[in-house]
Amino acid sequence: MDRRIIKTRQAIMEAFVGLMEEQSFEKITIHAIADRANVNRGTVYLHFTDKYDLLDQCIETYLQLLYESCMPDGDPSKVAAKALLLRTFEFLERHASIYSTLMTSKGIPAFRKRMIAMMERGIEEHIKSCGLSPGINREILVQFLAAAVSGLVEWWIVQSMPYTPKEMVEQLMLILERNLILPEQA
């Protein structure tokens, strides 16, 4: 894709997220997005059908960035859960304003739902590669961990990140190790 197209799409998405920080999704107009991105309305419509399409593509783009930045290159089973979690918290800290807005905007629960689904897939892959303690139902464990981690991430962001990513991961791992008896590799 042409660099100018990429830059324009990025500017539109950043303008959109910036507006969501200030007002509800329902009140945001294509005109306001275009003004903020310093493009004309027609340019916005060249890239996105409407603001709902923009929201959908924005969520997909930012989740993909999160996934790509946090997952290791190559075989994920060779990376400990602690390292994956640390990468995730550090990435979120570096991009706090965007993810804070997407995660906490009242009118758009879609981001949180898709983030949880992405976490479920990642946790499922990690459990498959590391094994499961006897007696623990895989499906229940995946749901529990995805809900717990996403809730913790959301709390951490809403509270303006009162602890460092390292402290968050250390506490989370301590809780998991003491209460779930995770496999040695975790």
Side-chain angles (χ1 to χ4, degrees), residues 48-60:
F48 307 98
T49 309
D50 53 23
K51 72 179 186 178
Y52 298 96
D53 180 43
L54 173 55
L55 174 63
D56 191 49
Q57 289 190 44
C58 202
I59 289 170
E60 197 60 40

Side-chain angles (χ1 to χ4, degrees), residues 103-116:
M103 195 172 281
T104 60
S105 289
K106 291 171 181 50
I108 53 166
F111 182 83
R112 190 173 193 282
K113 287 179 185 175
R114 286 195 197 164
M115 185 181 78
I116 290 173

Side-chain angles (χ1 to χ4, degrees), residues 18-34:
L19 286 166
M20 285 195 317
E21 281 183 60
E22 301 165 11
Q23 56 191 307
S24 69
F25 173 76
E26 293 78 27
K27 292 182 180 178
I28 297 173
T29 64
I30 294 294
H31 181 74
I33 296 165

Side-chain angles (χ1 to χ4, degrees), residues 169-181:
V169 171
E170 286 173 357
Q171 286 297 303
L172 179 57
M173 293 307 294
L174 195 60
I175 291 165
L176 293 175
E177 288 166 357
R178 286 191 179 164
N179 296 294
L180 289 178
I181 309 166

Side-chain angles (χ1 to χ4, degrees), residues 17-145:
V17 172
L19 286 166
M20 285 195 317
E21 281 183 60
E22 301 165 11
Q23 56 191 307
S24 69
F25 173 76
E26 293 78 27
K27 292 182 180 178
I28 297 173
T29 64
I30 294 294
H31 181 74
I33 296 165
D35 281 352
R36 176 77 57 100
N38 200 24
V39 298
N40 63 45
R41 284 182 37 178
T43 302
V44 175
Y45 286 117
L46 279 174
H47 295 275
F48 307 98
T49 309
D50 53 23
K51 72 179 186 178
Y52 298 96
D53 180 43
L54 173 55
L55 174 63
D56 191 49
Q57 289 190 44
C58 202
I59 289 170
E60 197 60 40
T61 298
Y62 286 114
L63 281 176
Q64 189 63 34
L65 283 172
L66 177 62
Y67 181 81
E68 289 171 0
S69 297
C70 301
M71 291 306 289
D73 297 328
D75 187 2
S77 67
K78 297 194 190 279
V79 180
K82 187 173 184 176
L84 294 175
L85 286 168
L86 185 58
R87 288 170 86 155
T88 302
F89 275 96
E90 287 173 343
F91 179 84
L92 290 170
E93 183 181 50
R94 285 190 308 273
H95 304 282
S97 64
I98 290 170
Y99 288 93
S100 173
T101 299
L102 290 171
M103 195 172 281
T104 60
S105 289
K106 291 171 181 50
I108 53 166
F111 182 83
R112 190 173 193 282
K113 287 179 185 175
R114 286 195 197 164
M115 185 181 78
I116 290 173
M118 182 181 78
M119 284 183 178
E120 288 169 359
R121 287 189 303 274
I123 291 167
E124 180 79 33
E125 287 175 26
H126 198 74
I127 289 172
K128 280 180 184 175
S129 66
C130 295
L132 190 63
S133 296
I136 296 180
N137 179 299
R138 179 185 309 236
E139 184 177 22
I140 292 171
L141 179 60
V142 168
Q143 293 304 311
F144 172 77
L145 291 174

Side-chain angles (χ1 to χ4, degrees), residues 148-164:
V149 172
S150 65
L152 186 62
V153 165
E154 187 173 357
W155 169 84
W156 183 62
I157 287 173
V158 168
Q159 297 300 315
S160 302
M161 301 175 188
Y163 303 99
T164 68

